[in-house]
């Protein structure tokens, strides 16, 4: 029995140790695989959030640039500065103005028609001071749709009621938004 026990101990203990090592190693690999899956998932989630953040910041930047163009268009019009006002426009045959109210309707197609009409209007108008112009610069409740170099924005302006919503379509030319 002593020989048998020593013999078994001599061979069984290393075998059991090997089996335990193999089990520990497999559990370790399994744990590492799960850990890697979690790290990979976390990494992909982080990249996705970063991409959304970058897109959101880029979108906000575009929206601010569009607001700046709209403010420049309004300010230069009411300051009777045709050159600055015209600089906010794309000067394209697709330029279009439609104004409709209860008692009037005006449609101008293409930059040439718009330019001719507004150059005369601006030439004949009395510039507004900052206080009188302030109501027109009060734009709010913006709704943006930006897709590449094309944008559509609607907004409320001033305190006109009941219908004070305006809409502009803009195109990005040489890095600047134009109506």
């Amino acid at each position: 029995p002593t020989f048998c026990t020593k013999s078994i101990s001599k061979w069984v203990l290393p075998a059991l140790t090997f089996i335990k090592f193999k089990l520990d190693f497999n559990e370790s690999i399994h744990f590492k695989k799960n850990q890697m899956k979690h790290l990979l998932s976390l990494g992909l989630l982080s990249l996705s959030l970063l991409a959304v953040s970058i897109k959101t910041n880029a979108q906000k930047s575009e929206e601010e640039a569009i607001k700046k163009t709209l403010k420049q268009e309004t300010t230069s019009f009411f300051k009777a500065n045709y050159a600055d006002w015209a600089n906010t426009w794309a000067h394209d045959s697709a330029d279009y103005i439609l104004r409709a109210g209860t008692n009037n309707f005006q449609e101008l197609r293409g930059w040439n028609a718009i330019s001719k009409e507004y150059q005369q209007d601006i030439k004949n108008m009395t510039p507004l001071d900052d206080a009188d112009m302030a109501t027109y610069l009060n734009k709010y409740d913006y709704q943006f749709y930006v897709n590449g170099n094309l944008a559509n924005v609607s907004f409320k302006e001033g305190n006109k009621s009941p219908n004070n919503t305006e809409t502009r379509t803009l195109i990005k030319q040489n890095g600047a938004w134009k109506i």
Side-chain angles (χ1 to χ4, degrees), residues 15-177:
L16 289 175
T17 304
F18 175 74
I19 291 170
K20 182 178 180 331
F21 169 76
K22 187 159 171 80
L23 288 173
D24 289 346
F25 182 74
N26 285 339
E27 286 176 11
S28 175
I29 288 176
H30 181 70
F31 175 75
K32 286 182 181 177
K33 283 182 183 177
N34 282 340
Q35 189 179 26
M36 289 302 290
K37 286 179 187 177
H38 291 298
L39 287 175
L40 182 60
S41 296
L42 184 60
L44 290 174
L45 177 63
S46 297
L47 286 174
S48 298
L49 291 174
L50 178 63
V52 168
S53 173
I54 289 170
K55 184 176 180 181
T56 301
N57 288 339
Q59 175 79 13
K60 286 183 182 184
S61 175
E62 294 297 345
E63 290 174 4
E64 289 304 315
I66 290 167
K67 286 179 181 180
K68 182 178 176 185
T69 298
L70 297 175
K71 182 177 181 180
Q72 180 184 351
E73 188 254 354
T74 302
T75 302
S76 56
F77 177 80
F78 286 113
K79 291 287 186 182
N81 185 332
Y82 174 78
D84 284 351
W85 177 85
N87 191 44
T88 64
W89 283 79
H91 299 222
D92 191 277
S93 61
D95 289 347
Y96 183 76
I97 291 179
L98 173 65
R99 294 191 186 273
T102 27
N103 299 323
N104 62 0
F105 176 84
Q106 179 186 30
E107 181 180 38
L108 300 170
R109 293 179 180 262
W111 172 247
N112 292 338
I114 293 169
S115 174
K116 181 180 176 184
E117 178 81 21
Y118 276 78
Q119 191 169 24
Q120 192 62 40
D121 288 349
I122 290 172
K123 180 180 177 184
N124 294 333
M125 74 184 286
T126 303
L128 297 182
D129 61 23
D130 290 343
D132 290 334
M133 187 174 37
T135 189
Y136 298 102
L137 292 175
N138 179 27
K139 295 176 179 12
Y140 58 97
D141 196 19
Y142 287 92
Q143 302 296 316
F144 289 94
Y145 174 78
V146 180
N147 188 354
N149 289 337
L150 189 64
N152 185 276
V153 60
S154 63
F155 54 91
K156 295 189 185 300
E157 180 179 82
N159 54 6
K160 298 181 263 179
S161 71
N163 192 0
N164 63 343
T165 300
E166 301 218 7
T167 301
R168 303 283 190 281
T169 301
L170 297 94
I171 188 165
K172 198 171 195 181
Q173 293 179 338
N174 300 319
W177 287 103

